[in-house]
Amino acid sequence: MAVTRIAEIEIAPDTARIYEHGWQSWSPSGTYPALDRGPHPVGERRHVLCYRPESVSDGPGFRGEGLLAVDPGDGGAVQVFAAVSPVEQVPSIRATLSGPTTLAVDVDGDVEWRRDGEDIVGALAAWADDIVARHSLPAPRPAPTVWCSWYHYFTQVTEDDIWENVEMAERLDLPIDVIQIDDGYQAALGDWLSLSGRFASLEALAGRIREAGRRVGIWVAPFLVDPASRLAADHPEWLVRGVDGAPAFAGHNWGTDLYALDTTHPAALAYLHDVFSTMAGWGIDYFKIDFIYAGAIPGGRYGSESPLAAYRRGVEMIRTSIGDGYLLGCGAPILPSIGLFDAMRVSPDTGPEYLPSDGDFSQPSILAATVTGEARAFQHGRFWVNDPDCLIVRPEVERRVEWAAHVERCGGLMASSDRLASLDAWGLERTRSLLGRTPPARFVS
Ligand code: 9PG
């Protein structure tokens, strides 16, 4: 749809503030002085992987994907611009200065304009309440407590590492419900039922974890396909296509370009069902589905559905395949995910460093995860349980006191991701107390 100017707002430029909401979990979100500029990707690859592939993010001013708010800074009401139908269409909403004291708002889709109260957080919460009512969303199910393998072991995790932490959880008597195996167990992205050499049998491991009295969780990137996978070799017709007919570029990570699975292809959907129902049959009942922005990338698909409809169809198939299992989204287009998830990652990754290494606020760091996590606090208890990302409190984590305070403030999903044996007395106590508390139902009222 063509770009249309829908508003020109008078602002007090020195005190006005603008809230912009990023496309997916890792895309920066926050409130900034109006004379500033929103965060930008460092490089084109980052743009696809962590921002919105189809939107040009260069240029002055701000760009909210489906949601942007303006506090005019003169005591006047906050103005909220929001997608009319955020699960179906997410317009880019651009705010730029068009005069010394005027802010212009340009959109490329259907947007509603609301004036609501005097603070941005309250206005966003009121908008979210309306969405909850319009979609008749049930209250989110309470989240289990989790131990996750990613933030200590990364892709090199082994079956022995998982087992060491199951035993440590027992020895330390930690209130961990779910042991969640992250990236690293699989043979390749796409080949989810074949294992890397570091794992012997997921089914047997799941059985042992359950016998030890814990539930089992798994990480899957269901819409990503490694060009070197069996899946890509056997079923090139299941991949989303680019303009030249070759598989569409869905990002670059782990040293390779990535493709996307076409969830409008019935056989690809059946494959997803097979993967998730097989895992559920092994007793896995907690699923972190990641890099799922790839299910919504633009490109040629078998069916004629829009990318967002294709995305929702894929997630719905996963949901159906896992029965009552708990579903956590990550790397997920946020607004199109409303109504589909139990919990949602609302920030870029945390990490042992305080600042993102190259200044890109979509990248792992305590600060970037905190800023974006806080900017999406209003979603908690409304759309789902917010996941601020895992608690990491081993001694080498920079400003671990601040990170633990942020995770606590969020009051959402509580997941520990240190090697439990590497915690010092403070880290262990903080982990125990955060995992042990019952989070409040809502962060913002
Ligand atoms: C597993 C990880 C963990 C983590 C997820 C996600 O921009 N990037 O290159 C980028 C890479 C990895 C990433 C996020 C961004 O992390 O958030 O919890 O599951 O995948 O690979």
Side-chain angles (χ1 to χ4, degrees):
M1 184 171 146
V3 174
T4 319
R5 179 150 300 180
I6 57 164
E8 281 202 314
I9 304 170
E10 280 299 307
I11 58 164
D14 293 328
T15 44
R17 293 171 69 73
I18 300 186
Y19 173 91
E20 66 169 26
H21 185 262
W23 168 242
Q24 56 120 313
S25 303
W26 309 322
S27 317
S29 299
T31 302
Y32 314 92
L35 296 176
D36 225 330
R37 176 173 187 241
H40 285 63
V42 175
E44 193 47 29
R45 282 176 173 175
R46 242 354 125 50
H47 184 179
V48 175
L49 199 76
C50 299
Y51 292 71
R52 189 175 187 178
E54 66 268 42
S55 105
V56 181
S57 56
D58 250 357
F62 299 89
R63 177 179 211 111
E65 301 297 349
L67 184 62
L68 181 139
V70 180
D71 172 351
D74 56 6
V78 167
Q79 327 255 333
V80 175
F81 299 89
V84 167
S85 183
V87 303
E88 284 157 12
Q89 193 206 41
V90 181
S92 292
I93 306 168
R94 184 135 211 178
T96 43
L97 287 173
S98 57
T101 62
T102 12
L103 187 80
V105 178
D106 300 305
V107 303
D108 62 2
D110 297 333
V111 165
E112 59 177 335
W113 179 10
R114 307 157 53 107
R115 296 156 193 79
D116 213 332
E118 276 163 34
D119 84 290
I120 286 181
V121 173
L124 295 172
W127 170 75
D129 279 337
D130 270 8
I131 294 290
V132 169
R134 267 188 253 164
H135 290 263
S136 308
L137 297 179
R141 291 196 281 174
T145 57
V146 179
W147 179 83
C148 162
S149 64
W150 179 249
Y151 294 90
H152 178 90
Y153 299 100
F154 300 98
T155 51
Q156 295 311 304
V157 64
T158 68
E159 198 163 317
D160 287 347
D161 296 330
I162 301 289
W163 193 247
E164 177 195 301
N165 285 280
V166 173
E167 290 188 324
M168 279 307 281
E170 183 65 29
R171 195 168 321 151
L172 297 169
D173 193 24
L174 288 171
I176 292 170
D177 299 320
V178 174
I179 299 291
Q180 185 243 305
I181 303 159
D182 214 280
D183 188 4
Y185 68 88
Q186 74 282 0
L189 299 167
D191 298 340
W192 304 108
L193 299 176
S194 310
L195 296 175
S196 66
R198 296 178 302 279
F199 283 73
S201 162
L202 217 47
E203 183 178 11
L205 178 61
R208 279 168 80 200
I209 294 172
R210 282 158 57 81
E211 273 163 35
R214 315 272 168 184
R215 291 165 53 188
V216 189
I218 195 90
W219 173 96
V220 182
F223 306 142
L224 275 191
V225 181
D226 183 333
S229 64
R230 271 235 75 83
L231 181 81
D234 291 351
H235 297 289
E237 75 281 10
W238 294 359
L239 305 175
V240 177
R241 304 264 144 201
V243 274
D244 53 1
F249 179 67
H252 180 99
N253 203 14
W254 303 280
T256 185
D257 284 350
L258 302 165
Y259 300 157
L261 189 72
D262 177 4
T263 56
T264 69
H265 196 296
L269 259 193
Y271 172 68
L272 280 183
H273 175 68
D274 185 37
V275 167
F276 283 90
S277 59
T278 300
M279 288 178 167
W282 294 338
I284 297 174
D285 71 353
Y286 178 100
F287 295 83
K288 171 180 175 183
I289 59 171
D290 200 0
F291 289 84
I292 50 178
Y293 72 89
I297 62 162
R301 287 178 166 78
Y302 173 86
S304 56
E305 290 147 294
S306 70
L308 287 190
Y311 165 76
R312 286 182 66 90
R313 182 199 272 267
V315 175
E316 276 159 8
M317 172 53 90
I318 293 168
R319 180 98 253 180
T320 306
S321 309
I322 64 172
D324 282 339
Y326 197 84
L327 190 61
L328 163 65
C330 188
I334 296 279
L335 301 184
S337 297
I338 291 171
L340 295 177
F341 288 89
D342 294 302
M344 177 58 66
R345 248 297 274 295
V346 290
S347 68
D349 286 15
T350 188
E353 266 106 49
Y354 182 69
L355 295 171
S357 57
D358 57 5
D360 185 327
F361 262 60
S362 70
Q363 291 305 292
S365 69
I366 302 280
L367 182 62
T370 302
V371 170
T372 293
E374 276 178 3
R376 294 197 177 119
F378 72 93
Q379 296 170 0
H380 177 54
R382 294 188 167 92
F383 299 163
W384 38 59
V385 168
N386 274 12
D387 171 15
D389 206 4
C390 297
L391 181 70
I392 45 170
V393 284
R394 55 187 181 271
E396 64 268 30
V397 173
E398 287 175 20
R399 306 215 203 174
R400 60 180 177 161
V401 174
E402 282 175 40
W403 177 245
H406 170 71
V407 172
E408 181 166 30
R409 225 172 23 247
C410 286
L413 193 73
M414 295 288 179
S416 156
S417 192
D418 290 302
R419 178 184 180 198
L420 295 173
S422 72
L423 290 172
D424 60 3
W426 183 85
L428 182 57
E429 223 17 72
R430 205 69 179 100
T431 301
R432 187 188 301 288
S433 82
L434 277 184
L435 289 169
R437 61 196 282 280
T438 310
R442 291 208 160 177
F443 183 61
V444 183
S445 56

